[in-house]
Amino acid sequence: MSHRSAVTAALVVLALLVGGRWMMGRDPAETVAQQRLGVGPAPAASPAPPPPEASPTPSSSPAPTVTRTPKKPSGPRSTIGPLGTKRTTGTKRVALTFDDGPHPEWTPKILDQLRAARVRATFCLVGTEVRKYPALVARIVREGHTLCNHTWHHELDLGTKPPAEIKANLEATNREIRKAVPGAKIKFFRHPGGKWTPAAIAVARDLGMISLDWDVDPQDWAKPGAKAVHDRVIGAVRPGSIVLLHDGGGDRSGTLGACPAVLRDLKRRYGITLLR
Ligand SMILES: [Zn+2]
């Protein structure tokens, strides 16, 4: 019996360590996000926005520390953020979003990978890029992905402007998307940098769009390399997560390099769903 007890004890310790590591993967990220709130330009009306996707803050993985923090309750998370944005899928399956495109080099390669993995995603499009590369928007739609309005020119401060200006911006973007794909369904809006304001969310709602947030941000825009992008996604993801990645706005070779393993691992662990 003593041998069996020892084995049991070893298993318990192992379980604690594994549990601790799993917790660690996301808690420091959340802490970093919270710390950013104090120094970032987030509006006061926004109690818990995600970290800005285009923040100049240098990204660095928080040093892991082994803790024995008891596991948090694993009940269902709210799909709706504090300001009314959609933050999770509402199911176990996770969703992928690609921002700042379309881009002539990276978007086709991302689309190739999604097609190979039989995965569909949401593309948050910038109006000026849509105007330059309408054929890519057509391909995104043809291959069954979902569209999201990401403003006309990635205006980080759009949400602070008068509602009429926000409306004109989002309408111009939707118009450009529908020039590329007549009748295209644009169900979502994502504010650049996640700098949500009640005004921006309300205007988007009036235009029939849900404000689409995220809860996993590997900061691929800062080009940390494919391995870091993969490890950050897998370390932070939870059931129902919405993952923020970028197919535009710069050199996305790291994101592209991370994609095969990210797609494989997310499919295996959670399944990948399409937001629509
Ligand atoms: Zn963006």
Side-chain angles (χ1 to χ4, degrees), residues 224-264:
K227 185 179 186 313
V229 172
H230 168 268
D231 292 352
R232 289 175 187 178
V233 169
I234 300 306
V237 74
R238 289 189 277 169
S241 280
I242 296 174
V243 181
L244 168 65
L245 292 165
H246 293 81
D247 65 322
D251 179 346
R252 297 296 165 235
S253 54
T255 306
L256 191 74
C259 265
V262 165
L263 297 177
R264 182 197 63 216

Side-chain angles (χ1 to χ4, degrees), residues 92 148 151 173:
K92 178 189 174 191
C148 170
T151 73
T173 307

Side-chain angles (χ1 to χ4, degrees), residues 34 48-51 77-90 196 211-216 240-243:
Q34 293 302 322
R77 291 182 293 152
S78 170
T79 60
I80 306 299
L83 289 182
T85 58
K86 181 175 177 64
R87 301 203 70 185
T88 65
T89 65
W196 300 107
S211 289
L212 180 61
D213 225 329
W214 64 84
D215 71 333
V216 174
S241 280
I242 296 174
V243 181

Side-chain angles (χ1 to χ4, degrees), residues 28-29 32-33 36 51-63 217-225 228-229 232 246 252:
V32 167
R36 283 233 184 111
E53 61 175 316
S55 152
T57 309
S59 64
S60 59
S61 291
D217 175 9
Q219 310 213 327
D220 63 327
W221 54 268
K223 305 173 194 170
V229 172
R232 289 175 187 178
H246 293 81
R252 297 296 165 235

Side-chain angles (χ1 to χ4, degrees), residues 95-99 121-122 124 190 212 242-246 275:
L96 296 176
T97 61
F98 290 92
D99 285 17
T122 299
C124 300
R190 175 172 281 167
L212 180 61
I242 296 174
V243 181
L244 168 65
L245 292 165
H246 293 81
L275 298 167

